[in-house]
Amino acid sequence: MTDLKELKQNVLMTAKKAYDEKLMAGTSGNISAYFREKQWIVITPSSYDYSLMAEEDIVVIDLDGNLVEGRHKPSSEWKMHAEIYRHLSHANAVVHTHSPYASSFAVNHQEIPVVLIEMIPFLKGKLEVSPYAQQGSAEVGLNAVPILERKNACLMANHGVVAIGGTLPEAYTNSVYVEDAAKIYHLALCSGHPVVIKEYEEV
Ligand SMILES: [Zn+2]
């Protein structure tokens, strides 16, 4: 039995961790967990300072964006979270960041090949780029779904990163590995010619 209070605490803790880790600047990025039995999304509020955020600031909505609980508006990107939960039964948590190294590849519409071993178990291969969609639209999520059916994360063109997981800690770890892979790949491109792990077959 999932506990709503526990989900709110996990969303808050993960949001603060991601902010401290500099995966999001200002009030950008958003984090949610899915209460699947009730079809409720437990999500960070819209435009709210992460350092001031408390458990009571976390918002609960249904898949259509109707407010179930909370004193703020949900993240402006709640539709992206809703489409991911609607389409992917294995996703129970979404971490969306604008982490800088990964977002720079998203701006270039450039994939990150499998250059590190962690990319295989955590991200399930190379990082692909989902097509651009207007911020806040359902298409942001719908464009990422075909990639997230096979992968635990993707780059979103001219936007940022979305990582999923069966749990919030998993989704968070995946988002950290996305930025780590992007940073190391960037440094490797600057200092030489990165060698791709050829033994890994994409599914
Ligand atoms: Zn965003």
Side-chain angles (χ1 to χ4, degrees):
M1 179 64 190
T2 314
D3 181 331
L4 186 60
K5 186 176 170 62
E6 197 181 312
L7 286 180
K8 281 186 183 177
Q9 286 170 344
N10 286 343
V11 167
L12 176 71
M13 202 178 67
T14 308
K16 286 188 183 279
K17 231 161 54 168
Y19 183 66
D20 290 344
E21 195 69 29
K22 301 200 166 32
L23 298 180
M24 27 233 224
T27 62
S28 74
N30 33 77
I31 285 168
S32 76
Y34 193 40
F35 195 161
R36 198 166 282 280
E37 296 115 84
K38 300 259 189 197
Q39 300 192 317
W40 288 348
I41 303 171
V42 182
I43 190 166
T44 45
S46 174
S47 304
Y48 202 83
D49 189 330
Y50 287 108
S51 63
L52 301 176
M53 204 176 282
E55 193 185 312
E56 308 78 66
D57 297 315
I58 304 301
V59 184
V60 184
I61 54 171
D62 66 17
L63 286 172
D64 297 315
N66 299 306
L67 191 71
V68 174
E69 216 179 287
R71 57 188 183 190
H72 301 292
K73 277 202 237 169
S75 161
S76 59
E77 291 178 299
W78 67 266
K79 286 181 184 169
M80 169 181 70
H81 296 247
E83 293 306 335
I84 289 171
Y85 294 133
R86 241 194 266 271
H87 289 88
L88 303 173
S89 59
H90 63 287
N92 293 309
V94 172
V95 173
H96 166 54
T97 75
H98 295 179
S99 62
Y101 282 92
S103 298
S104 73
F105 285 96
V107 166
N108 293 339
H109 296 205
Q110 189 180 349
E111 292 186 345
I112 300 177
V114 180
V115 286
L116 290 166
I117 50 171
E118 289 83 8
M119 293 178 76
I120 300 169
F122 289 96
L123 308 179
K124 297 189 188 166
K126 68 180 179 182
L127 276 163
E128 298 171 40
V129 184
S130 64
Y132 176 78
Q134 198 188 344
Q135 201 259 352
S137 67
E139 282 66 35
V140 177
L142 289 169
N143 288 352
V145 162
I147 298 175
L148 297 176
E149 281 172 351
R150 299 174 281 110
K151 302 287 170 87
N152 282 334
C154 76
L155 306 174
M156 298 187 294
N158 300 91
H159 189 163
V161 175
V162 62
I164 59 168
T167 63
L168 253 182
E170 283 171 23
Y172 176 72
T173 302
N174 293 336
S175 75
V176 171
Y177 277 123
V178 169
E179 183 63 0
D180 189 56
K183 188 175 186 175
I184 293 170
Y185 186 51
H186 169 94
L187 292 171
L189 284 168
C190 293
S191 59
H193 304 282
V195 177
V196 174
I197 301 174
K198 292 202 179 65
E199 289 76 9
Y200 181 72
E201 298 264 340
E202 289 289 329
V203 285

